[in-house]
Amino acid sequence: LFKNSSGVSSSLDPPEPMIALITPKIIKPMIRSNMCLNAHPIGCVKDTERQINFVKAKKTDVCVEIGTGSGVISVLVNYKNKPQKIYAFELQQKYADLAQKNIELNSMQEQITVINSNIKDFKSYLSKEVDVVFCNPPYYKSGVCKQSESQDIAICKHESFLPLEDLISTASKMLKFGGKLYFVYPANRLDEVIVELNKNNLQPKKIFFAQPTINKNANTVYLQCTKGGKYGVKILPTLITNNMDGEYVQTIQKLYKK
C-alpha cells in the first residue's frame, strides 16, 4: 500500500526518512469513494495512514481494534491484510453506528463486526484470545491540555477515558501468547509505555518514530509488541512527514521489508 517512485504499490513496513505514506489519492481506489474518511471527530488522517501501513495480520488471524471511531482503520486493515475476522470496539454509540455504515458501504459485514461497548467488557463478546490488537488510543493526559468542551471529542482525545495502564493490560488479556499489539503514542511518553508493557508481559519488537520536519524532535512513536516475546527490539528508521516548508511529503524515496 505504499507507492515507490515508479508508481508500483507494495505492502511494506514504514519506509526511511523523507517519505509519505497513504494519501487520500492512494486510499480512494481501495474503498468506495463515499466512505466517511474524516468522520472521526479528531480527523487524524496522518496517524491513521501510518497505523494502517504498520499493522500486519495473517489470513488466519482474529483481530481487535480498540476505539474504532468511524471504522476507517479496520476497513483498510481488512482490505490490506484480509484477516479471518476483525472485532472493532467503540464506546460511543454514534461512532459505532458510523463505523457500521462505513463497513456496509465497503461490503465488509462478514469480515468486521462492530461492538458498541467498553473494552473492559470484552470477555462478553470474545470467546477466546485473539492474534492481533491494534489501536490509535486517546493519549492526552488530564490537565496537560485543555479538556474538550464536547464530551464525545474528549473521550476520543483524553486518556482519562482510557488510561494507558488500562489500554495495555486489557490488550494483553485479549491476546494469546505470541499475539501482536500495534499502537501509537506520544514519543515523550515512551518511558511510561515501556513500564506498562513490562508489567503486562508485552515485549516491544519494532518501534519507529515520526517527526514533523528534519529539524524537529519526534512527536509520535509507533510500536509493535509481542505477548511473551523475547528481549530485543528493532528500531526502524525515523519517518519525517513534512518538508522544511511544512508541506506533507508526497514522495517515497526508498522502501524496505522487515
Side-chain angles (χ1 to χ4, degrees), residues 14-21 208-211 213-214 236-242 249 251-256:
E16 291 196 8
M18 295 309 297
I19 52 167
L21 305 177
F208 80 94
F209 295 90
Q211 62 191 68
T213 61
I214 197 167
L236 302 174
T238 296
L239 173 66
I240 300 172
T241 59
N242 298 73
V249 180
T251 320
I252 290 180
Q253 297 179 337
K254 186 178 180 182
L255 301 175
Y256 63 88

Side-chain angles (χ1 to χ4, degrees), residues 31 37 47 61 63 70 131 133 147 180 207 214 256:
I31 56 177
L37 279 175
D47 275 354
D61 283 347
C63 307
S70 61
D131 303 283
V133 173
Q147 195 81 356
K180 302 285 194 297
I207 292 176
I214 197 167
Y256 63 88

